Amino acid sequence: QVQLIESGGGLVQAGGSLRLSCVTSGLTFSTKAMGWFRQAPGKEREFVATINWRGLRTVYANAVKGRFTISRDNAKNTVYLQMNSLKSEDTAVYYCAADNSGLENTGIRGYDYWGQGTQVTVSS
């Protein structure tokens, strides 16, 4: 049974930082590309960041570029999202996802497995 479990969300003031983690099980993590997405109330789920299977290629949404960093630890089957200089518009439920292709992927439809999400709330 494949599981992706996000953690690290919470309430933070604008300008603050959070580090999200996504621990996976039931899949060969080291062969998967991983992505982070988010969904704000009343809005569609949107791409945030992605990393390829080796961790050598990353892509970011323009809205988070320079503030967020995606990374992975294949030994721990975990992907991270370091979020700095948070803004109120970053408030959303954040989801991690795994893509069997192993290649960095900015599209929602390409992902094969999803976590349940973790809430991030940024107060202004």
Side-chain angles (χ1 to χ4, degrees):
Q1 180 184 0
V2 175
Q3 286 189 311
L4 285 72
I5 301 175
E6 301 96 336
S7 63
L11 175 63
V12 63
Q13 288 188 334
S17 299
L18 283 174
R19 188 194 195 203
L20 305 184
S21 300
C22 172
V23 179
T24 71
S25 61
L27 51 74
T28 308
F29 178 79
S30 61
T31 67
K32 310 288 187 244
M34 298 299 296
W36 285 98
F37 293 78
R38 65 187 182 186
Q39 188 166 17
K43 295 188 177 181
E44 293 186 350
R45 192 171 298 189
E46 64 176 7
F47 165 75
V48 174
T50 181
I51 188 167
N52 75 339
W53 66 281
R54 292 186 65 185
L56 297 181
R57 290 189 176 181
T58 58
V59 181
Y60 296 92
N62 288 336
V64 307
K65 200 172 295 183
R67 300 188 297 122
F68 290 11
T69 302
I70 187 171
S71 61
R72 65 190 297 158
D73 186 337
N74 285 352
K76 295 182 177 180
N77 296 333
T78 302
V79 62
Y80 305 97
L81 186 68
Q82 178 67 44
M83 306 186 296
N84 299 328
S85 303
L86 283 161
K87 307 175 181 179
S88 58
E89 50 263 44
D90 295 318
T91 294
V93 177
Y94 283 71
Y95 300 89
C96 70
D99 181 342
N100 285 335
S101 75
L103 303 177
E104 63 277 16
N105 180 7
T106 62
I108 290 177
R109 292 187 176 183
Y111 285 85
D112 301 283
Y113 309 102
W114 291 84
Q116 293 300 305
T118 185
Q119 176 70 47
V120 171
T121 303
V122 183
S123 62
S124 57

